[in-house]
Amino acid sequence: MDVIQSRQNPLIKACIKLMENRRERLKTGQTLLDGPHLLAAALDAGQPPERLLLSQSAPQRAEVAALAARFDGPVSVVADTLFAELTELESASGVLALWAPPPAPAPLQRGLVLALDGVQDPGNVGAMLRTAAAAGVAQVWLSPNCADVWSPKVLRAGMGAHFLLPVVERADLPALLTNFVGRKAVTVLDGSISLYQADLRGDLVLVMGSEGQGISREVLALADLRLAIPMRAGLESLNVGAAAAICLYERLRQTLSA
């Protein structure tokens, strides 16, 4: 098999664009899965990638070789030094995959939904997807000013949650909240009640706001449940990912104990 050694190779140029540019990911409907964990998760979920890229030395690793054996599509081998330019990991894993995210589902009008309103940190978005998948969330909505849910950074932080959770990106949150039949809960200090005094069972959208600005004015106007997480005096707020986890698992606790 020929080994790709030039940065000018069309496949390499396409992968660099996908790694760096959200607009390119939207235009092509593709993204990159970086590392064996994400590739394994995609294969396990029945959502195989379109192509594998292996570093020249990667087939010597048992884990990579086993994953490549499960894949029946095209495989390209890339020189090790060039492959290192395609990954943001400090230690190159030796495997990348070109993958097409599934089409967005129809937004739910009932059930348990997590909505992200302007959450821009990729690590926070990925962590919340991972928590949402674990806590039984049925769907996740992301407003247009959130971090790109299909970026390599968010995919890595999600650790496979993307393959388990239906995701609606660039969502018009005010419109979706208006059509939702259940309650709309936000985390905010003004006019709030303690999370542990609220009934979170039943159809619910939990909205988590941006790290700096919080919940947008339009979304806040539609909320019918304002929640505050009790904290020690002197602390202003929690990390949004931690706050989402606390809220979702309090909802799960209430549901299981009902």
Side-chain angles (χ1 to χ4, degrees), residues 1 5 11 21 53 72 74-75 77 117 119 122 125-126 135 141 153 156 172 185 228 230 235 238 247 249:
M1 184 179 291
Q5 304 202 36
L11 177 60
N21 194 310
L53 288 85
D72 58 6
V75 178
V77 178
D117 186 10
V119 180
V125 172
W141 302 339
K153 287 183 179 179
R156 287 199 305 274
D172 183 345
L235 288 177
L238 290 170
C247 293
Y249 270 88

Side-chain angles (χ1 to χ4, degrees), residues 62-237:
E63 181 181 25
V64 174
L67 288 171
R70 295 176 58 188
F71 180 69
D72 58 6
V75 178
S76 298
V77 178
V78 182
D80 287 350
T81 54
L82 182 57
F83 188 92
E85 297 184 36
L86 301 179
T87 177
E88 295 176 328
L89 298 175
E90 291 185 10
S91 177
S93 64
V95 59
L96 282 167
L98 273 173
W99 179 70
L108 294 178
Q109 295 184 333
R110 61 189 327 132
L112 176 59
V113 174
L114 174 65
L116 308 186
D117 186 10
V119 180
Q120 297 178 348
D121 182 82
N124 283 336
V125 172
M128 284 192 280
L129 291 180
R130 193 175 180 187
T131 299
V137 169
Q139 196 170 82
V140 177
W141 302 339
L142 298 99
S143 69
N145 51 344
C146 284
D148 178 10
V149 71
W150 305 116
S151 73
K153 287 183 179 179
V154 176
L155 282 159
R156 287 199 305 274
M159 294 290 288
H162 290 72
F163 308 110
L164 303 174
L165 271 175
V167 173
V168 179
E169 57 177 336
R170 301 187 303 281
D172 183 345
L173 292 187
L176 297 188
L177 290 170
T178 299
N179 292 329
F180 192 79
V181 300
R183 288 169 301 161
K184 298 90 175 175
V186 299
T187 52
V188 65
L189 292 178
D190 293 341
S192 62
I193 62 172
S194 168
L195 170 71
Y196 302 109
Q197 295 175 338
D199 184 355
L200 304 177
R201 295 169 296 178
D203 300 314
L204 179 74
V205 176
L206 173 65
V207 185
M208 304 303 300
S210 71
E211 297 88 341
Q213 302 300 318
I215 305 291
S216 63
R217 186 179 306 172
E218 297 81 4
V219 169
L220 192 58
L222 295 169
D224 49 29
L225 183 58
R226 296 185 174 208
L227 304 173
I229 299 172
M231 290 184 292
R232 180 178 180 176
L235 288 177
E236 183 178 343
S237 64

